[in-house]
Amino acid sequence: MNYKNITIAGSGVLGYQIAFQTAFHGFNVTVYDIKDTTLEKAKLKFNTMSDAFKRDLNATQEQLDKTFKHLSYTSDLAEAVKDADLVIEAVPENPKIKIDFYHKLAKVAPEKTVFATNSSTLLPSQFAEATGRPSKFLALHFANTIWIHNTAEIMGHPNTDSSVFKDVVAFAKAIGMLALPLYKEQPGYILNSLLVPLLSAATSLLVNHVAEPEIIDKTWMKATGAPLGPFGILDVVGITTAYNIDKMAAEKTKDPLKIKTVNYLKENFIDQNKLGVSTGEGFYKYPNPAYKNSDFLK
């Protein structure tokens, strides 16, 4: 693996985390997004990330100064990928948006560039042809708060070149991740194959008026010893991501409960910009959510 220049496409919740983590470990990182105003917001998030790395990883100011020197920003896709060894796509969890992005990316990326999707639930085979280089395309999935929950699931599709797969596993290790290779395609990888049913069950309990979010979270946290309940997790993951996943499931299955969940999330959270930790409010209010109170489980 001789990657040096990494482009992160999308500066949302996971995009900016991947960018900062990668730059922290010495790679040259270009952050791409469609609007300069969005990139300006990402720059502010990097200041927050810097504080988190000091607090959680005991990062030194010297390390962080070097990290910022490794970061650059552009809303010009051709400029963003002109020297890229690897592009990590972290655009919204919507197949049409992703396919459109890959069509554009394929026209401007150098032949050497490997493409990786950070999709949470979609399979790389769904986008392989759109990339124009299926043998150099695979999935590289990170968990939220990646500097702490440092997992990287690597999942190819049937036509992914084995050497590309090995290089991406090596890259994941080089940026401080616990590399987790998967032998075959699996919707949701390992993490979300376990997590999504939990979050889905929690939202079903809520929209069916069985219990309130705090009660559901208290049940899970107390009974299992988990540090977060499903609604605390949803706030961290981002309610937009959960909404998009539920919306695709509702459209595919026509399940009345899924449709009800989608409408509930849209009316109570998406439309009100209560998207979780990133906006300061979701199921809880931040930076001091109720589940962090010492008496929450009493």
Side-chain angles (χ1 to χ4, degrees), residues 225-261:
L228 284 177
F231 291 104
I233 294 171
L234 278 167
D235 278 354
V236 172
V237 169
I239 295 172
T240 300
T241 297
Y243 170 77
N244 286 335
I245 292 170
D246 284 330
K247 190 170 184 287
M248 284 188 289
E251 290 171 352
K252 183 177 181 179
T253 65
K254 309 301 180 185
D255 181 348
L257 182 56
K258 282 292 181 189
I259 294 170
K260 187 177 181 181
T261 299

Side-chain angles (χ1 to χ4, degrees), residues 120-123 126 155 184-190 192-193:
S120 300
T121 57
L122 303 170
L123 297 176
Q126 292 177 248
M155 181 170 72
K184 62 184 290 187
E185 285 191 302
Q186 165 65 30
Y189 310 78
I190 298 169
N192 284 322
S193 291

Side-chain angles (χ1 to χ4, degrees), residues 41-271:
K41 292 178 182 177
K43 291 177 184 179
L44 295 176
K45 294 174 186 175
F46 289 136
N47 292 328
T48 303
M49 288 288 291
S50 182
D51 293 338
F53 272 52
K54 285 180 181 178
R55 180 186 67 242
D56 299 327
L57 303 180
N58 296 316
T60 66
Q61 190 59 51
E62 181 182 5
Q63 287 177 303
L64 295 168
D65 289 342
K66 288 181 179 178
T67 299
F68 280 99
K69 288 179 180 178
H70 284 299
L71 288 164
S72 60
Y73 315 84
T74 182
S75 57
D76 182 327
L77 183 57
E79 178 66 23
V81 302
K82 66 180 182 180
D83 296 317
D85 297 305
L86 172 67
V87 173
I88 301 174
E89 168 266 306
V91 305
E93 193 76 345
N94 180 306
K96 291 181 181 179
I97 294 174
K98 289 184 185 292
I99 288 171
D100 180 63
F101 171 75
Y102 281 120
H103 283 155
K104 293 175 180 176
L105 179 63
K107 293 177 181 178
V108 295
E111 184 181 345
K112 68 171 182 175
T113 311
V114 171
F115 298 170
T117 179
N118 181 54
S119 172
S120 300
T121 57
L122 303 170
L123 297 176
S125 57
Q126 292 177 248
F127 310 107
E129 291 307 315
T131 68
R133 59 190 73 193
S135 66
K136 294 180 180 178
F137 176 64
L138 73 176
L140 175 60
H141 179 250
F142 299 86
N144 211 327
T145 59
I146 71 172
W147 66 98
I148 300 173
H149 303 123
N150 58 323
T151 58
E153 297 174 281
I154 302 96
M155 181 170 72
H157 60 91
N159 294 320
T160 301
D161 188 289
S162 60
S163 64
V164 170
F165 189 91
K166 290 176 183 176
D167 281 349
V168 173
V169 169
F171 167 75
K173 292 178 180 178
I175 61 168
M177 296 291 104
L178 173 63
L180 303 166
L182 277 69
Y183 297 126
K184 62 184 290 187
E185 285 191 302
Q186 165 65 30
Y189 310 78
I190 298 169
L191 177 60
N192 284 322
S193 291
L194 299 169
L195 181 60
V196 169
L198 168 67
L199 303 183
S200 179
T203 53
S204 295
L205 290 169
L206 174 60
V207 299
N208 279 333
H209 308 291
V210 174
E212 292 298 315
E214 286 195 12
I215 297 301
I216 296 167
D217 278 3
K218 286 180 180 182
T219 303
W220 184 256
M221 292 166 69
K222 190 66 173 179
T224 67
L228 284 177
F231 291 104
I233 294 171
L234 278 167
D235 278 354
V236 172
V237 169
I239 295 172
T240 300
T241 297
Y243 170 77
N244 286 335
I245 292 170
D246 284 330
K247 190 170 184 287
M248 284 188 289
E251 290 171 352
K252 183 177 181 179
T253 65
K254 309 301 180 185
D255 181 348
L257 182 56
K258 282 292 181 189
I259 294 170
K260 187 177 181 181
T261 299
V262 168
N263 291 336
Y264 178 89
L265 292 176
K266 185 177 188 302
E267 292 171 9
N268 294 282
F269 296 93
I270 303 299
D271 290 349

